[in-house]
Amino acid sequence: MKLIRIFFRNVANAFKSIVRNFSLSSASLICTTITLLVVAIAIIVAGNINNFTRNLSNSLTMIVFVDSGATAEEIAQVKQGIESIKDVKADEIIYKDKKTLKEETLENAEKGSTIYTIVSTWDDNDNPLEPEFIVSVKTANKMEKTADTITSLNKVKSVKYSEKVLEKMIPLVEIVEKVSICIIVGLIIVIVFLIGNTIKLTIYSRSEEIEIMRLVGTSNNVIRLPFVIEGTILGILGSLVPIAMTIWGYTICYDKLGGIFFAPAIKMVEPMPFTIYASLILVAIGAIVGMLGSYTAVRRYLKV
Amino acid sequence: MKFIEIKHCYKLYRDGVAAISDLSLFIDKGEFVFITGETACGKSTLVKMLYREEKPTKGTVIVGGINVAKVPNSKVYKLRRKLGIVFQDFKLLPKLTVYENVAFGLSNAGVANSIIRQKVRLALERVGLKGKEKSFPKNLSGGEQQRVCIARAIVNEPKLLICDEPTGNLDPKTSKEIVKVINKINKEMKTTVVMVTHDKEIVNSMRKRVVTLSNGVIVDDTQKGSYVADEID
């Protein structure tokens, strides 16, 4: 009961204190808001780079042509062989037999065209099309190795994939992705220092209050509590403007650009739920940094 | 057993300066003791050791049966809840009202509001500040601010009231009033009072026990004494 009373009293006191120390609270708030705005931009950029890389990776496929004379048993063995390769998405392997390929060709060809006329004359025995597997792979830089492994399988005639350019591009994008994550982490560290120092300044100006608390018999944990709550509140309040800018600003950008960034291949992440996740990250950073900043700043004035 | 037992105490600061040297002092429960002496003779260090703001380098300091020096930092707050401390510079929170200042310690200790109201009312009555609950320190005179500080110190009905130069910032008339309030608390609440002062007039008018320090040692300890610090080299 006592602890609950202390907690709620301190929550109330934290709000009162924010109002009473308005100028210092405003300084912390502005500092948090500005730094979190930078983080918001970094999160949006990183999210989109990540999305771009993921889209590229997901579209990595290769076609495995099987010898047209292969029996059903041999085709099953080829499939097993492909499935056993680590870098292959085993549950996404698509098999197309001669008949399916013929139907697809007819569907895609214009009626009355030469191709249509020729293909339509083929029956099951003289269909020259080779059965094929469409195989999705997990990582771009291992495509060549995977293709070689598949080629070595019995009854596999050839393997084709056209993502040679992507194969070279993806590692580059991955580097950009890693760099953007490093930038975010770096920014968070800078923010911890910036917000932490602003809070330290606030607490320094209230060191007498801490001294009085100690002298009237307040435990160290209870001394910390109002400052920690206040830091958390300021952190959360400081994240509100960046959150609003993230949701509102990004949605507008997305609509104006039509969801495409410069080139059709670079699709932007849809605003929902992306901006919600980004907002949650922002509020969490604000709250945690505010809380830890206050905790460590108060510690300096406690004889612990 | 005495209420306060200071035995062979030393306090050496990092720069090698000895603030207290082999000091022993015993104070009974309910006693009123003046600690006097010239500037930097160790008076404040002595009382700081009572509320564990300073730890003795050597020796023991026992207050109400508790060996103060052995209280770990994390438990010092428990000791301080049993004491009342009054300072020369009042140490009031300017943004809190009189009521909030007096209730500050109790509120942080999680005491119920109904009990806080009762105790604060009583403490303010004792120091003669009834009706000033909603005032802010800046709207009070020096004497009134010191009364608020005393009210905050006695609100928890401590067994020991430590006053570190409580009249240092006050004019002679107000100083007398403050000492009267402290004396009343000593008599009515049976609170032990240890008061550091170099106010000759006050010491001489009270006729209480006077302990005189010089260079960190007790040079005079007289019941119903007078201010002798001036006469000591």
Side-chain angles (χ1 to χ4, degrees):
Chain A
M1 189 64 195
K2 228 180 203 181
L3 291 176
I4 296 167
R5 204 181 284 143
I6 289 171
F7 179 77
F8 283 108
R9 257 177 210 167
N10 279 303
V11 171
N13 285 343
F15 278 105
K16 273 188 205 168
S17 175
I18 288 172
V19 178
R20 278 171 176 161
N21 302 287
F22 186 73
S23 52
L24 283 163
S25 306
S26 304
S28 296
L29 212 60
I30 292 166
C31 174
T32 315
T33 302
I34 293 169
T35 41
L36 286 180
L37 265 174
V38 180
V39 175
I41 294 166
I43 289 173
I44 285 169
V45 171
N48 276 286
I49 291 172
N50 186 34
N51 182 55
F52 175 59
T53 321
R54 208 169 38 230
N55 285 344
L56 284 183
S57 299
N58 286 341
S59 62
L60 295 174
T61 54
M62 53 176 70
I63 300 168
V64 178
F65 295 101
V66 182
D67 192 52
S68 55
T71 62
E73 198 183 324
E74 284 165 336
I75 288 168
Q77 276 172 358
V78 171
K79 194 185 177 202
Q80 257 183 355
I82 297 170
E83 280 172 344
S84 65
I85 299 168
K86 215 179 168 186
D87 206 48
V88 164
K89 293 176 184 170
D91 47 352
E92 287 178 24
I93 297 171
I94 300 165
Y95 173 67
K96 288 178 183 173
D97 60 9
K98 284 178 167 191
K99 201 180 164 189
T100 314
L101 288 166
K102 183 189 159 189
E103 283 164 5
E104 273 183 7
T105 314
L106 287 172
E107 262 173 45
N108 294 331
E110 206 178 309
K111 265 188 182 176
S113 66
T114 318
I115 293 177
Y116 190 89
T117 317
I118 295 169
V119 173
S120 58
T121 58
W122 296 344
D123 59 22
D124 286 351
N125 293 327
D126 57 6
N127 181 351
L129 294 170
E130 287 161 342
E132 64 183 39
F133 283 100
I134 297 167
V135 178
S136 298
V137 292
K138 289 174 190 166
T139 41
N141 49 13
K142 284 183 185 165
M143 277 191 98
E144 200 176 347
K145 200 182 157 195
T146 308
D148 289 346
T149 316
I150 295 173
T151 313
S152 68
L153 293 171
N154 189 27
K155 292 292 173 187
V156 170
K157 213 171 171 190
S158 62
V159 176
K160 282 193 177 158
Y161 59 100
S162 58
E163 289 90 346
K164 293 258 181 197
V165 181
L166 293 181
E167 196 179 342
K168 285 178 183 164
M169 201 174 143
I170 283 181
L172 197 76
V173 178
E174 278 173 352
I175 290 170
V176 175
E177 195 184 17
K178 277 172 191 162
V179 168
S180 64
I181 289 167
C182 287
I183 291 171
I184 290 186
V185 172
L187 271 173
I188 291 172
I189 293 168
V190 171
I191 285 160
V192 171
F193 276 105
L194 266 176
I195 301 176
N197 279 330
T198 318
I199 292 169
K200 268 181 198 165
L201 207 69
T202 316
I203 288 171
Y204 174 74
S205 74
R206 289 164 67 188
S207 54
E208 201 186 356
E209 188 178 332
I210 296 171
E211 192 197 347
I212 295 169
M213 282 172 132
R214 286 179 53 241
L215 291 171
V216 298
T218 308
S219 69
N220 286 345
N221 287 335
V222 178
I223 292 174
R224 277 192 196 108
L225 199 58
F227 292 99
V228 169
I229 294 171
E230 209 176 311
T232 313
I233 293 169
L234 286 174
I236 293 169
L237 289 178
S239 69
L240 293 182
V241 173
I243 285 173
M245 295 293 278
T246 305
I247 296 174
W248 180 70
Y250 184 73
T251 308
I252 285 180
C253 280
Y254 185 86
D255 291 342
K256 291 244 172 188
L257 295 168
I260 287 161
F261 194 67
F262 294 126
I266 311 173
K267 284 179 184 160
M268 290 170 77
V269 187
E270 282 188 24
M272 287 296 158
F274 174 58
T275 50
I276 299 294
Y277 295 147
S279 303
L280 289 175
I281 293 172
L282 289 174
V283 79
I285 293 174
I288 293 169
V289 170
M291 190 166 68
L292 292 180
S294 304
Y295 185 89
T296 48
V298 178
R299 198 185 149 82
R300 229 181 124 195
Y301 298 98
L302 302 174
K303 287 188 175 175
V304 286
Chain B
M1 193 178 176
K2 303 281 185 181
F3 184 67
I4 295 172
E5 292 182 11
I6 301 170
K7 292 178 200 166
H8 306 290
C9 240
Y10 290 82
K11 178 67 192 178
L12 294 169
Y13 286 110
R14 276 181 197 163
D15 54 7
V17 174
I20 299 284
S21 293
D22 195 18
L23 187 145
S24 294
L25 178 66
F26 302 90
I27 297 171
D28 280 323
K29 202 174 176 183
E31 223 181 327
F32 190 127
V33 181
F34 282 115
I35 310 286
T36 65
E38 77 275 32
T39 306
C41 67
K43 308 185 291 283
S44 288
T45 304
L46 176 65
V47 290
K48 276 181 180 171
M49 288 198 297
L50 297 178
Y51 61 89
R52 191 38 178 78
E53 188 64 8
E54 296 285 357
K55 258 179 167 180
T57 313
K58 203 176 148 192
T60 52
V61 177
I62 295 168
V63 177
I66 301 165
N67 191 342
V68 175
K70 286 194 175 165
V71 175
N73 284 338
S74 60
K75 300 279 179 249
V76 169
Y77 75 96
K78 286 188 176 175
L79 168 81
R80 295 209 178 141
R81 280 182 191 172
K82 293 173 186 167
L83 311 173
I85 314 164
V86 179
F87 306 92
Q88 180 178 356
D89 56 353
F90 319 138
K91 293 199 191 299
L92 296 176
L93 293 164
K95 287 172 183 170
L96 300 189
T97 63
V98 166
Y99 180 91
E100 288 168 329
N101 264 292
V102 177
F104 197 60
L106 295 174
S107 179
N108 285 326
V111 177
N113 283 331
S114 55
I115 297 170
I116 293 179
R117 268 195 298 275
Q118 210 179 324
K119 287 193 168 193
V120 172
R121 202 190 57 223
L122 190 65
L124 287 173
E125 268 176 23
R126 276 187 170 133
V127 299
L129 279 183
K130 200 181 165 191
K132 295 270 185 186
E133 290 86 347
K134 287 178 183 167
S135 303
F136 283 92
K138 65 176 179 188
N139 300 326
L140 301 176
S141 67
E144 285 174 323
Q145 287 188 46
Q146 192 55 290
R147 283 169 194 255
V148 178
C149 185
I150 296 169
R152 183 182 61 194
I154 61 162
V155 72
N156 214 15
E157 291 164 18
K159 296 274 175 280
L160 173 65
L161 182 64
I162 299 164
C163 307
D164 194 357
E165 310 242 21
T167 59
N169 281 352
L170 305 173
D171 60 77
K173 188 177 168 256
T174 315
S175 297
K176 273 181 194 164
E177 284 168 12
I178 291 299
V179 175
K180 230 184 235 179
V181 171
I182 295 169
N183 193 33
K184 191 178 138 198
I185 290 161
N186 171 248
K187 281 185 177 159
E188 288 178 4
M189 295 169 69
K190 310 280 177 224
T191 308
T192 309
V193 175
V194 176
M195 183 167 153
V196 171
T197 186
H198 49 233
D199 191 322
K200 192 175 180 177
E201 210 178 311
I202 282 173
V203 174
N204 291 341
S205 67
M206 294 292 289
R207 308 298 296 167
K208 301 280 185 187
R209 181 180 170 190
V210 180
V211 175
T212 308
L213 263 67
S214 180
N215 295 322
V217 292
I218 295 173
V219 287
D220 190 70
D221 184 351
T222 317
Q223 292 290 343
K224 293 185 181 175
S226 57
Y227 193 88
V228 293
D230 290 347
E231 298 153 25
I232 294 158
D233 269 326

